[in-house]
C-alpha cells in the first residue's frame, strides 16, 4: 500500500474485524503474517490493539506499507488464493489509515500471466487497475482473479453478469432466463435498478450454500451439481433472489446503525428483522410472483418455516429485537443450546413480515400491501441516503395504511406466539398440522437430537421428557431397556415405544455409566402444510390474489 500524502505525521492503520452483511467479529488481522512501513528509511510500526498499528512519518513523503496476508478460506466473507484463482474480499485483506478512509483509492493487481480475467465492480482504470471512491466501496467490491466463465445478459437495458468460478451442471440459458424473471419482478417493486451494472459472483463448491450482498454485486457460493434437481435449483434461485433484494434493502435502505460502519468493532442493531427478515420474506414471494414457484410450492415453504419456528423452544425465550442485537454472539456463534435459547431473525423476521403483509392487505381492503411500504422506504432513502430506525418504519407503515400495528411491535419485542390462523382465515387459507406419515401418530418422543456416528446427544430440547429426566448433551447412549442400541435400533426403539412408555436409558457420561428413566410423550406434528378452504368468499379470493399475485384457481 502506498500513501501519497499521509494526512498527519502520526497515523493509525486499521484492518476491519468484520465484513458488512455478516455480523460476526472475524478478526481478519489474524491472517497478517508480516507488516512493515517505509519512507526514505524504515519506519517503526507499533501494534496498539488486535487490528491497529501506529506509526510516525514525514507528511511530505510517500509512505509505503508492505504486508503479507494468509488467504485460504473459501467463503463469501473471506479470501482465498491458490494456483487457480484469487478470491479477494476487501475486509479480509485491506488496511487503511483511519483518517483517510474517505479518500479515493487506487488498486493495482499483479497476477500470473495464465490468469486471464479480473472481475470486480470497482471502476476500471486500466487492464489491471481499478479505483474505489473510498474505503467503504473498496470493502464492498470483491475482486476475482483467474479463470472464470462470464455470462452477460441485460435486464431492462441494464448490464448484468454472472461470473462463474468452477464447473458444474448449471444450464446457462436457464439460469439467465430465471434470473431475469427475478430481476424484473424486483425491479417492478422499486421502479429502477440503482446501479450502472451488476455482477453475481457464483462460486461452485461442493455442498456449500451461502451469499453475501454488496451494492453493485453479490457473492454466491453453491453446490456445483445443484442445478438439475428442481427443489435444489429453486433453493438456489431463492439465494439469488435474496442477495439481489439486498441491493435495495440493506445496501441502501438500512437500519441507521448499518452504514457508515465502524469496522473495528460490533455495530449493534435491533433491526435485522428489517434487514434480513423483510429480505427473507420477499425472496420467496418474488419467486412466487415471478412464477418460479407455484402457489402450492410457495405455501409449502411458508408452512415449513412455521413448523421450524413452532418446534424451536428458543422462540419462547428470545425476542426478535434481541436476536438481532445479539447476532454477533448468538446467531453467528451457535452452540448445543441455541435451539432452546434463541430464534433466528431470518426465520421469525420473515414470518412477522408475512403477517404484516396480510394485515396491511386486510386493513386497506386490498388497496395496499407490504410492497407499498417498500416503495415509501425506497423514496425516503433516495431523498437523503440516511438509515432508518424502528420509529421511522412504523410511521411509514402508518402513512401507507392509516393504521397502527401494535401486534407487530409486540411480535418484535416479546416472545408471544405468532398467530397465523387469524390472518390466514381472511385469505381463505388454513394451516394444517399433521405427521409425515400416519403411523407416526402413535410413536413415542423424548426430545433429543443425536449424532448418529457417536450415538452422543447433540441437543436436549427444553420442556421435553429428555430434559426433565436429566439426559444431557454429550451423553453417549449405550442401551435402552437393557438392549444395546446403534443409530438404527435407537430410532426403532423410540418409534416402537408408544407414548407414555418408560424407557430405561444406559448412558456414558464422562466415563461414568448412568441409568436414566425417560417417559415418552406423543410426537409433535412434523408436517405442516397450508391449504385453501373449500368455499371462499369473494373478499378472501381478492385478498389472496393481492398477496400472491395469483388467482385463487392457480393453486
Ligand atoms: Zn441476507
Amino acid at each position: 500500500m502506498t500513501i501519497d500524502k499521509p494526512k498527519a505525521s502520526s497515523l493509525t492503520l486499521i484492518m476491519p474485524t468484520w465484513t458488512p452483511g455478516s455480523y460476526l467479529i472475524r478478526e481478519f488481522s489474524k491472517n497478517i503474517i508480516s507488516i512493515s512501513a517505509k519512507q526514505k528509511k524504515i519506519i517503526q510500526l507499533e501494534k496498539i490493539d488486535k487490528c491497529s498499528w501506529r506509526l510516525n512519518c514525514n507528511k511530505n513523503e510517500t509512505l509505503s506499507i508492505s504486508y503479507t496476508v494468509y488467504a485460504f478460506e473459501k467463503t463469501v466473507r473471506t479470501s482465498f488464493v491458490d494456483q487457480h484463482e484469487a478470491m479477494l474480499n476487501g475486509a479480509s485483506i485491506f488496511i487503511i489509515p483511519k483518517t483517510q478512509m474517505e479518500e479515493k483509492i487506487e488498486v493495482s493487481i499483479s497476477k500470473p500471466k495464465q490468469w486471464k480475467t479480473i472481475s470486480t465492480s470497482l471502476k476500471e482504470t486500466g487492464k489491471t487497475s481499478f479505483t474505489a471512491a473510498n474505503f467503504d466501496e473498496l470493502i464492498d467490491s470483491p475482486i476475482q482473479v483467474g479463470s472464470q466463465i462470464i455470462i452477460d445478459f441485460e435486464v431492462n437495458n441494464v448490464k448484468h453478469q454472472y461470473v462463474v468460478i468452477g464447473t458444474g451442471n448449471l444450464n446457462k440459458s436457464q439460469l439467465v432466463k430465471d434470473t431475469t424473471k427475478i430481476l424484473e419482478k424486483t425491479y417492478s417493486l422499486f421502479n429502477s435498478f440503482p446501479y450502472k451494472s451488476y455482477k453475481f459472483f457464483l462460486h461452485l463448491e461442493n455442498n456449500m450454500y451461502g451469499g453475501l450482498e454488496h451494492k453493485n454485486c453479490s457473492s454466491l457460493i453453491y453446490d456445483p451439481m445443484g442445478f438439475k434437481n428442481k427443489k435444489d435449483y429453486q433453493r438456489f434461485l431463492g439465494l439469488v433472489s435474496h442477495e439481489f433484494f439486498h441491493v435495495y434493502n440493506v445496501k441502501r435502505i438500512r437500519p441507521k446503525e448499518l452504514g457508515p460502519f465502524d469496522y473495528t468493532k460490533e455495530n449493534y442493531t435491533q433491526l435485522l428483522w428489517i434487514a434480513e427478515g423483510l429480505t427473507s420474506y420477499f425472496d420467496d414471494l418474488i419467486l412466487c410472483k415471478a412464477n418460479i414457484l407455484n402457489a402450492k410450492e410457495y405455501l409449502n415453504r411458508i408452512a415449513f418455516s412455521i413448523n421450524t419456528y413452532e418446534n424451536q423452544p428458543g422462540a419462547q425465550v428470545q425476542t426478535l429485537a434481541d436476536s438481532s442485537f445479539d447476532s454477533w454472539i448468538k446467531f453467528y456463534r451457535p452452540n448445543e443450546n441455541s435451539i432452546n435459547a434463541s430464534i433466528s431473525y431470518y426465520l421469525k423476521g420473515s414470518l412477522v413480515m408475512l403477517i404484516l403483509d396480510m394485515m396491511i392487505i386486510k386493513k386497506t381492503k386490498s388497496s395496499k400491501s407490504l410492497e407499498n411500504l417498500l416503495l415509501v422506504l425506497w423514496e425516503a432513502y433516495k431523498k437523503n441516503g440516511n438509515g432508518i430506525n424502528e420509529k421511522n418504519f412504523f410511521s411509514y407503515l402508518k402513512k401507507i395504511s392509516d393504521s397502527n400495528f401494535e401486534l407487530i411491535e409486540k411480535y418484535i419485542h416479546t416472545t408471544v406466539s405468532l398467530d397465523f390462523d387469524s390472518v390466514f382465515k381472511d385469505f381463505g387459507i388454513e394451516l394444517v398440522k399433521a405427521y409425515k406419515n400416519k403411523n407416526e401418530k402413535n410413536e413415542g418422543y423424548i426430545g433429543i437430537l443425536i449424532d448418529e456416528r457417536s450415538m452422543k446427544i447433540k441437543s436436549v430440547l427444553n420442556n421435553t421428557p429428555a430434559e426433565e429426566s436429566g439426559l444431557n448433551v454429550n451423553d453417549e447412549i449405550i442401551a435402552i431397556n437393557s438392549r444395546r442400541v446403534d443409530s438404527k435400533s435407537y430410532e426403532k426403539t423410540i418409534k416402537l415405544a408408544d407414548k407414555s412408555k418408560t424407557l430405561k436409558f444406559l448412558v456414558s457420561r464422562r466415563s461414568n455409566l448412568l441409568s436414566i428413566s425417560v417417559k415418552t410423550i406423543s410426537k409433535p406434528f412434523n408436517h405442516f402444510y397450508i391449504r385453501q378452504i373449500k368455499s371462499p368468499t369473494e373478499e378472501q379470493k381478492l385478498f389472496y390474489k393481492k398477496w400472491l399475485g395469483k388467482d385463487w384457481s392457480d393453486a
Side-chain angles (χ1 to χ4, degrees):
M1 171 171 64
T2 307
I3 302 157
D4 292 337
K5 288 182 193 131
K7 218 167 196 172
S9 53
S10 173
L11 288 185
T12 300
L13 308 174
I14 59 154
M15 182 169 203
T17 58
W18 66 287
T19 192
S22 184
Y23 309 103
L24 172 69
I25 296 296
R26 291 176 194 271
E27 322 283 24
F28 291 121
S29 55
K30 72 185 176 193
N31 287 323
I32 298 279
I33 295 170
S34 61
I35 180 166
S36 61
K38 203 175 148 189
Q39 285 190 307
K40 276 182 184 141
K41 51 187 179 186
I42 303 281
I43 288 176
Q44 285 303 314
L45 276 167
E46 182 195 358
K47 185 116 197 232
I48 49 176
D49 62 33
K50 66 184 177 187
C51 61
S52 320
W53 297 259
R54 193 160 40 209
L55 60 85
N56 294 315
C57 62
N58 181 344
K59 269 169 60 174
N60 303 315
E61 252 179 54
T62 300
L63 171 67
S64 300
I65 312 288
S66 303
Y67 61 101
T68 316
V69 188
Y70 179 69
F72 201 62
E73 191 180 353
K74 187 140 191 191
T75 76
V76 292
R77 301 108 172 196
T78 48
S79 291
F80 177 86
V81 182
D82 70 0
Q83 68 270 46
H84 303 296
E85 64 165 315
M87 172 197 193
L88 308 175
N89 270 305
S92 64
I93 53 165
F94 291 121
I95 288 178
I96 188 86
K98 211 172 173 178
T99 45
Q100 293 180 256
M101 293 173 75
E102 288 310 316
E103 291 176 19
K104 192 172 134 189
I105 298 162
E106 283 166 19
V107 182
S108 149
I109 294 171
S110 58
K111 60 176 181 62
K113 260 193 202 141
Q114 66 273 26
W115 288 8
K116 296 276 182 265
T117 318
I118 302 175
S119 290
T120 175
S121 54
L122 290 173
K123 194 174 159 206
E124 203 175 311
T125 51
K127 270 198 168 164
T128 55
S129 53
F130 303 88
T131 173
N134 51 39
F135 192 63
D136 283 330
E137 192 177 303
L138 182 67
I139 295 305
D140 192 46
S141 309
I143 303 169
Q144 182 68 32
V145 195
S147 71
Q148 44 203 261
I149 300 161
I150 304 291
I151 308 171
D152 288 306
F153 59 107
E154 282 195 6
V155 183
N156 297 346
N157 299 318
V158 176
K159 282 184 182 169
H160 292 79
Q161 193 178 67
Y162 266 99
V163 176
V164 184
I165 302 96
T167 53
N169 64 358
L170 77 82
N171 174 330
K172 284 188 206 168
S173 59
Q174 188 68 40
L175 179 67
V176 167
K177 203 172 127 194
D178 291 328
T179 305
T180 301
K181 283 187 194 170
I182 293 168
L183 270 51
E184 282 174 346
K185 186 66 227 170
T186 312
Y187 178 101
S188 76
L189 302 177
F190 298 96
N191 298 324
S192 63
F193 287 139
Y195 46 74
K196 285 205 180 98
S197 65
Y198 187 89
K199 288 182 198 319
F200 291 97
F201 292 95
L202 173 55
H203 298 270
L204 299 176
E205 291 291 326
N206 283 339
N207 304 318
M208 298 278 274
Y209 181 90
L212 189 67
E213 65 273 16
H214 301 285
K215 256 189 163 167
N216 303 318
C217 66
S218 56
S219 294
L220 315 172
I221 194 160
Y222 184 62
D223 194 276
M225 304 309 278
F227 297 89
K228 280 267 151 69
N229 175 288
K230 189 180 171 194
K231 262 201 163 167
D232 290 345
Y233 182 55
Q234 285 176 340
R235 188 164 166 257
F236 167 74
L237 293 175
L239 179 65
V240 172
S241 175
H242 183 97
E243 299 310 332
F244 189 72
F245 194 82
H246 276 320
V247 163
Y248 304 88
N249 186 38
V250 168
K251 295 317 297 186
R252 290 175 175 87
I253 300 165
R254 64 189 185 282
K256 65 175 171 30
E257 298 86 0
L258 295 183
F261 304 109
D262 183 339
Y263 291 102
T264 64
K265 60 176 195 229
E266 292 87 347
N267 289 213
Y268 296 104
T269 175
Q270 288 194 333
L271 300 185
L272 290 180
W273 55 269
I274 300 179
E276 293 299 347
L278 186 65
T279 303
S280 296
Y281 174 57
F282 271 99
D283 59 24
D284 275 355
L285 187 62
I286 285 169
L287 295 190
C288 177
K289 292 193 172 185
N291 293 320
I292 289 170
L293 293 177
N294 63 35
K296 195 176 172 198
E297 288 165 334
Y298 178 66
L299 294 176
N300 279 342
R301 286 196 180 212
I302 291 177
F304 182 82
S305 296
I306 296 174
N307 187 354
T308 311
Y309 160 77
E310 291 199 351
N311 282 312
Q312 174 135 350
Q316 307 303 319
V317 176
Q318 190 185 42
T319 68
L320 198 44
D322 288 346
S323 170
S324 167
F325 193 87
D326 278 338
S327 59
W328 303 86
I329 53 169
K330 295 199 173 178
F331 182 79
Y332 273 93
R333 294 166 73 181
N335 65 15
E336 66 284 348
N337 196 45
S338 296
I339 195 167
N340 293 317
S342 61
I343 186 72
S344 152
Y345 47 82
Y346 286 85
L347 176 70
K348 186 176 173 185
S350 69
L351 291 173
V352 171
M353 291 300 114
L354 161 72
I355 292 175
L356 175 60
D357 195 11
M358 295 180 123
M359 287 174 79
I360 299 171
I361 293 171
K362 190 193 171 191
K363 283 185 191 227
T364 63
K365 296 235 171 291
S366 148
S367 71
K368 299 277 166 49
S369 73
L370 200 50
E371 291 185 3
N372 296 84
L373 179 70
L374 289 182
L375 204 53
V376 172
L377 289 167
W378 184 236
E379 293 304 326
Y381 164 78
K382 284 198 290 186
K383 268 186 202 140
N384 56 24
N386 291 343
I388 57 165
N389 58 27
E390 189 173 323
K391 219 172 125 197
N392 300 141
F393 183 88
F394 282 99
S395 69
Y396 291 136
L397 202 48
K398 173 135 195 170
K399 194 171 148 190
I400 62 145
S401 65
D402 201 24
S403 300
N404 292 316
F405 290 84
E406 287 96 355
L407 182 64
I408 298 296
E409 293 182 56
K410 215 165 143 189
Y411 285 159
I412 292 161
H413 293 286
T414 75
T415 57
V416 64
S417 294
L418 304 182
D419 178 3
F420 298 100
D421 294 340
S422 310
V423 279
F424 283 3
K425 75 176 186 324
D426 297 313
F427 288 69
I429 55 170
E430 56 192 7
L431 177 68
V432 184
K433 300 176 185 181
Y435 293 104
K436 275 183 200 131
N437 64 60
K438 275 187 272 170
N439 301 336
E440 287 181 282
K441 187 170 87 198
N442 298 317
E443 289 176 9
Y445 173 81
I446 62 164
I448 56 173
L449 306 175
I450 58 164
D451 174 58
E452 291 187 354
R453 271 196 182 171
S454 64
M455 286 305 289
K456 282 189 172 175
I457 297 177
K458 285 196 295 190
S459 284
V460 178
L461 272 67
N462 276 3
N463 308 317
T464 59
E467 190 216 5
E468 277 148 26
S469 64
L471 281 176
N472 259 1
V473 166
N474 287 338
D475 284 354
E476 180 189 352
I477 301 170
I478 294 171
I480 298 176
N481 292 346
S482 304
R483 290 185 81 90
R484 188 87 162 93
V485 288
D486 58 17
S487 62
K488 275 189 190 142
S489 52
Y490 164 80
E491 282 289 324
K492 223 169 161 185
T493 309
I494 301 287
K495 271 185 183 174
L496 290 177
D498 291 350
K499 48 199 165 188
S500 317
K501 275 270 164 62
T502 299
L503 300 175
K504 212 175 215 178
F505 276 68
L506 180 66
V507 301
S508 166
R509 180 181 301 171
R510 298 196 301 278
S511 308
N512 296 315
L513 292 180
L514 296 178
S515 177
I516 294 175
S517 293
V518 188
K519 199 171 175 190
T520 61
I521 55 170
S522 48
K523 205 169 184 173
F525 294 116
N526 55 15
H527 175 55
F528 287 28
Y529 62 96
I530 294 169
R531 68 181 170 206
Q532 293 181 324
I533 60 166
K534 292 240 164 65
S535 315
T537 63
E538 284 310 308
E539 189 182 63
Q540 284 170 327
K541 287 202 252 180
L542 182 74
F543 287 0
Y544 178 92
K545 182 164 186 188
K546 177 74 178 173
W547 173 41
L548 295 185
K550 288 185 194 299
D551 283 328
W552 179 262
S553 52
D554 279 357

